[in-house]
Amino acid sequence: HRHLLGIEGLSQAQINTILDLADTYVEQNRSPNKKSDVLRGKTVVNLFFENSTRTRTSFELAAKRLGGDAINMSVDGSSVKKGETLLDTATTLNAMHLDVLVVRHPESGAVKLLADKVNCAVISGGDGAHEHPTQALLDALTIRRNKGRLDGLTVTICGDILHSRVARSNIQLLNIMGARVRVVAPPTLLPRAIGELSVEVHHDMATGLKDADIVMMLRLQLERMQGQFVPSVREYYRFFGLDYEKLAAAKPDALIMHPGPMNRGVEIDSLVADDINRSVILQQVELGVAVRMACLDLLTQHGRNDPA
Ligand code: CP
């Protein structure tokens, strides 16, 4: 592959290759000397049309830890504000001989459109409600390091599935790796085509969380709802917010995960989010850097013009 635009189409072997390499980078990141020269002479540009804390910072850190050069394009300060299109922006950057372009965009499919027009590798940092592949990979690494495997585990994804590219990428990856996936959400926050995905659908946390090995919470994406979300946030928290009472249905050693950013008191109780024995939310962030190092490493191994 020349690009990483989604989990769809990846094989179990390819996912394992990324996770195995990422494991080695976890060790590098924890060592006193965090830098290597795998990406020496390579240039990585972050082009983010949506806000980000984790994804953008970790791609920048990942490139630098591997000895590459990383540039963050600020869309606010760019010629996008003068009306330059997405494609013109991308081909302009491409003309500067980049090796990797990391793109986040609010429209599903926008990253693919752009990837077809450039000759550098493109990694999706999330496109609309479509995919967020590196998030699913870092979630998989977090699960694998804590549980020793992915296959056979029951993973429950709770909340705003409708707007979640994180959910879509995770559902695909977990199915490829042999996990059982459940989703829990009010009917208004499920995609109409949920039946086409390999998931068990629940509208009630008690049944959805029953004996789950992994509880993955999602943020209510109010910015994508344009006022059509009817229940109040308080009511949502009462039925779908993760607190200790609801968590009791899951296995006693179930891991609590959240891709971030969290809205405490909306989809998750602060005490649960900060539970040092159960919550791996900050470990997800740590492993995100290693996963992005693995992706940058693999996509730059074969030069600029390899066929896809
Ligand atoms: N999980 C995630 O993608 O976070 P950011 O939006 O902060 O990058």
mmCIF file of all heavy atoms in Angstrom, residues 51-55 104 132 135 259-261, ligand 1:
data_model
loop_
_atom_site.group_PDB
_atom_site.id
_atom_site.type_symbol
_atom_site.label_atom_id
_atom_site.label_comp_id
_atom_site.label_asym_id
_atom_site.label_seq_id
_atom_site.Cartn_x
_atom_site.Cartn_y
_atom_site.Cartn_z
ATOM 1 N N ASN A 51 -10.008 20.547 14.068
ATOM 2 C CA ASN A 51 -9.178 20.616 15.268
ATOM 3 C C ASN A 51 -8.659 19.243 15.680
ATOM 4 O O ASN A 51 -9.282 18.220 15.385
ATOM 5 C CB ASN A 51 -9.991 21.187 16.432
ATOM 6 C CG ASN A 51 -10.366 22.626 16.182
ATOM 7 O OD1 ASN A 51 -9.734 23.300 15.364
ATOM 8 N ND2 ASN A 51 -11.394 23.093 16.855
ATOM 9 N N SER A 52 -7.550 19.246 16.353
ATOM 10 C CA SER A 52 -6.976 18.001 16.863
ATOM 11 C C SER A 52 -5.959 18.329 17.951
ATOM 12 O O SER A 52 -5.220 19.309 17.838
ATOM 13 C CB SER A 52 -6.267 17.250 15.733
ATOM 14 O OG SER A 52 -5.514 16.169 16.250
ATOM 15 N N THR A 53 -5.938 17.520 18.978
ATOM 16 C CA THR A 53 -4.856 17.586 19.963
ATOM 17 C C THR A 53 -3.970 16.357 19.805
ATOM 18 O O THR A 53 -2.773 16.451 19.524
ATOM 19 C CB THR A 53 -5.423 17.643 21.402
ATOM 20 O OG1 THR A 53 -6.127 18.870 21.546
ATOM 21 C CG2 THR A 53 -4.302 17.578 22.430
ATOM 22 N N ARG A 54 -4.580 15.177 19.928
ATOM 23 C CA ARG A 54 -3.825 13.928 19.955
ATOM 24 C C ARG A 54 -3.213 13.560 18.598
ATOM 25 O O ARG A 54 -2.017 13.280 18.490
ATOM 26 C CB ARG A 54 -4.736 12.761 20.390
ATOM 27 C CG ARG A 54 -4.987 12.679 21.853
ATOM 28 C CD ARG A 54 -6.384 12.168 22.104
ATOM 29 N NE ARG A 54 -7.292 13.275 21.852
ATOM 30 C CZ ARG A 54 -7.701 14.104 22.805
ATOM 31 N NH1 ARG A 54 -7.374 13.874 24.047
ATOM 32 N NH2 ARG A 54 -8.454 15.141 22.510
ATOM 33 N N THR A 55 -4.055 13.522 17.568
ATOM 34 C CA THR A 55 -3.604 12.988 16.279
ATOM 35 C C THR A 55 -2.488 13.849 15.693
ATOM 36 O O THR A 55 -1.448 13.342 15.268
ATOM 37 C CB THR A 55 -4.792 12.892 15.303
ATOM 38 O OG1 THR A 55 -5.866 12.238 15.976
ATOM 39 C CG2 THR A 55 -4.423 12.130 14.053
ATOM 40 N N ARG A 104 -6.505 15.536 7.853
ATOM 41 C CA ARG A 104 -7.813 15.408 8.521
ATOM 42 C C ARG A 104 -8.761 16.389 7.849
ATOM 43 O O ARG A 104 -8.410 17.542 7.609
ATOM 44 C CB ARG A 104 -7.701 15.736 10.007
ATOM 45 C CG ARG A 104 -9.070 15.849 10.675
ATOM 46 C CD ARG A 104 -8.984 15.969 12.171
ATOM 47 N NE ARG A 104 -8.627 14.703 12.784
ATOM 48 C CZ ARG A 104 -8.638 14.484 14.099
ATOM 49 N NH1 ARG A 104 -8.979 15.450 14.926
ATOM 50 N NH2 ARG A 104 -8.307 13.296 14.591
ATOM 51 N N HIS A 132 -11.002 6.647 10.719
ATOM 52 C CA HIS A 132 -9.876 7.224 11.477
ATOM 53 C C HIS A 132 -8.948 6.042 11.764
ATOM 54 O O HIS A 132 -8.895 5.522 12.868
ATOM 55 C CB HIS A 132 -10.411 7.864 12.764
ATOM 56 C CG HIS A 132 -9.421 8.701 13.518
ATOM 57 N ND1 HIS A 132 -8.080 8.769 13.203
ATOM 58 C CD2 HIS A 132 -9.590 9.514 14.588
ATOM 59 C CE1 HIS A 132 -7.479 9.588 14.063
ATOM 60 N NE2 HIS A 132 -8.366 10.050 14.911
ATOM 61 N N GLN A 135 -6.428 5.689 14.721
ATOM 62 C CA GLN A 135 -7.089 5.557 16.022
ATOM 63 C C GLN A 135 -7.441 4.089 16.284
ATOM 64 O O GLN A 135 -7.199 3.566 17.371
ATOM 65 C CB GLN A 135 -8.349 6.422 16.072
ATOM 66 C CG GLN A 135 -9.101 6.328 17.400
ATOM 67 C CD GLN A 135 -8.352 6.988 18.548
ATOM 68 O OE1 GLN A 135 -7.855 8.091 18.409
ATOM 69 N NE2 GLN A 135 -8.250 6.319 19.692
ATOM 70 N N PRO A 259 -11.382 7.450 22.936
ATOM 71 C CA PRO A 259 -10.375 7.992 22.015
ATOM 72 C C PRO A 259 -9.963 9.424 22.370
ATOM 73 O O PRO A 259 -8.917 9.885 21.934
ATOM 74 C CB PRO A 259 -11.088 7.965 20.655
ATOM 75 C CG PRO A 259 -12.555 7.998 20.974
ATOM 76 C CD PRO A 259 -12.687 7.262 22.289
ATOM 77 N N GLY A 260 -10.798 10.125 23.173
ATOM 78 C CA GLY A 260 -10.588 11.545 23.435
ATOM 79 C C GLY A 260 -10.980 12.341 22.206
ATOM 80 O O GLY A 260 -11.022 11.776 21.109
ATOM 81 N N PRO A 261 -11.275 13.608 22.348
ATOM 82 C CA PRO A 261 -11.417 14.323 23.611
ATOM 83 C C PRO A 261 -12.658 13.885 24.383
ATOM 84 O O PRO A 261 -13.673 13.584 23.767
ATOM 85 C CB PRO A 261 -11.531 15.800 23.173
ATOM 86 C CG PRO A 261 -12.037 15.764 21.770
ATOM 87 C CD PRO A 261 -11.516 14.497 21.184
HETATM 88 N N1 CP B 1 -8.817 10.825 19.179
HETATM 89 C C1 CP B 1 -8.527 11.862 18.381
HETATM 90 O O1 CP B 1 -8.535 11.778 17.150
HETATM 91 O O2 CP B 1 -8.248 13.031 19.064
HETATM 92 P P1 CP B 1 -7.909 14.450 18.402
HETATM 93 O O3 CP B 1 -9.168 14.934 17.735
HETATM 94 O O4 CP B 1 -7.476 15.322 19.550
HETATM 95 O O5 CP B 1 -6.819 14.234 17.394
#
